[in-house]
Structure formats: C-alpha cells, structure tokens
Amino acid sequence: MEPMKTKAIHATARRPAILEVTFSDGTCRSVNVEPELRAGVLAELRDFSLFSKVEIDPVGGAEWPNGASLAPEFLRWGPHLPKGCACGYEDPAQH
C-alpha cells in the first residue's frame, strides 16, 4: 500500500467525539469519530478527559494514552460533521 501523500500533523478534540484535524497540505477537517466509540479500547474515549489527550503518531494516525488509535485514512476520509466542518463541508441533506 502506498503511503498517503498528505498526512495529519495536528489534532484537537473540539467536543466529545469530534476531532479537528490539520493536514500537511494545510487543509483542516472536523472528523466525527462517534461511530467508532462503541466497544473495546475506543469506547473509553467517550470520556472527554481522555479523548482530549489525542496526539498524532509518526504515520499520521491519531493515538491516545490508553492505546486507542485511528488510522490516517480514517482521519482523512472518515465521516465529517454534517454541518459546520472546519473544511467548510456542508451535507446537503441537512439543509
């Protein structure tokens, strides 16, 4: 698999289950990770005090102190917020 040319360089937890991610090309996305927080170590991230400790790993994925992680591809192509994404995306179905 070819590595992603654009990778995440910074992430901030803006509110529960929402990461604002900045990429090496300057773009920014608000990623809704809520669907991923259903079971296992990811479910622990429902605690905002843990979720807010997100960091970007060397390959551009998100990681947390409890061992939870999300792939770089998920950060880049995972679900946006339906309205109000940092990149300006607006889901037409929400209008």
Side-chain angles (χ1 to χ4, degrees):
M1 178 180 212
E2 185 178 323
M4 290 178 52
K5 294 180 181 163
T6 302
K7 69 178 195 173
I9 57 171
H10 182 75
T12 303
R14 289 293 175 205
R15 57 185 193 242
I18 304 298
L19 290 177
E20 186 172 295
V21 183
T22 303
F23 296 90
S24 58
D25 66 358
T27 59
C28 190
R29 294 186 76 227
S30 296
V31 183
N32 179 4
V33 302
E34 197 270 329
E36 305 301 311
L37 306 183
R38 295 198 173 123
V41 71
L42 288 169
E44 296 173 22
L45 300 179
R46 288 186 232 153
D47 175 354
F48 188 73
S49 65
L50 179 59
F51 184 69
S52 65
K53 294 178 181 173
V54 64
E55 293 189 6
I56 297 298
D57 67 24
V59 297
E63 64 182 3
W64 287 268
N66 70 336
S69 62
L70 293 170
E73 295 81 8
F74 182 86
L75 297 181
R76 187 63 176 179
W77 307 114
H80 280 267
L81 287 177
K83 185 175 177 118
C85 181
C87 73
Y89 172 83
E90 297 280 331
D91 184 344
Q94 299 295 317
H95 293 272

